[in-house]
């Protein structure tokens, strides 16, 4: 019969072979996430600097991260 001939051919054309293989969307999402990590907003970088410095982080709990960053890193300190 005609159907048995269609399924007995083990080779597919390139077009038909690519139809059922879809690109992995998870990999696309991971690459977008990596791009976002490299291009952080200035506020995010400031917050991370403040989180890495314990006195700044404690100050931030009371006054907020923007104020804490200004207090510890915003101006040049001279001794």
């Amino acid at each position: 019969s005609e159907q048995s001939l269609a399924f007995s051919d083990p080779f597919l054309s390139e077009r038909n072979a690519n139809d059922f293989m879809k690109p992995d969307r998870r990999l696309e999402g991971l690459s977008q996430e990596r791009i976002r990590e490299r291009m952080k907003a200035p506020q995010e970088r400031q917050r991370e600097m403040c989180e890495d410095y314990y006195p700044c982080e404690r100050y931030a709990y009371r006054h907020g991260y923007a104020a804490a960053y200004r207090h510890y890193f915003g101006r040049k300190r001279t001794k």
Side-chain angles (χ1 to χ4, degrees):
S1 77
E2 193 173 310
Q3 287 182 346
S4 64
L5 288 177
F7 290 114
S8 67
D9 187 12
F11 301 105
L12 296 173
S13 69
E14 288 180 22
R15 184 178 191 156
N16 290 339
N18 290 331
D19 280 345
F20 68 91
M21 295 296 292
K22 302 295 181 203
D24 192 358
R25 296 286 181 210
R26 291 177 296 156
L27 294 177
E28 184 178 314
L30 285 174
S31 66
Q32 290 296 323
E33 183 179 339
R34 298 292 175 244
I35 290 170
R36 276 189 250 104
E37 283 180 0
R38 276 187 259 138
M39 299 177 354
K40 290 182 181 175
Q43 295 86 0
E44 181 67 22
R45 283 184 294 212
Q46 291 173 358
R47 182 180 179 131
E48 287 177 356
M49 282 181 64
C50 193
E51 287 174 346
D52 290 340
Y53 185 55
Y54 185 70
C56 183
E57 186 177 19
R58 287 193 50 134
Y59 191 91
Y61 284 136
R62 181 165 279 234
H63 303 285
Y65 279 100
Y69 182 83
R70 280 193 308 273
H71 181 76
Y72 286 97
F73 303 107
R75 61 183 182 270
K76 298 286 182 190
R77 296 183 144 218
T78 57
K79 290 187 176 184

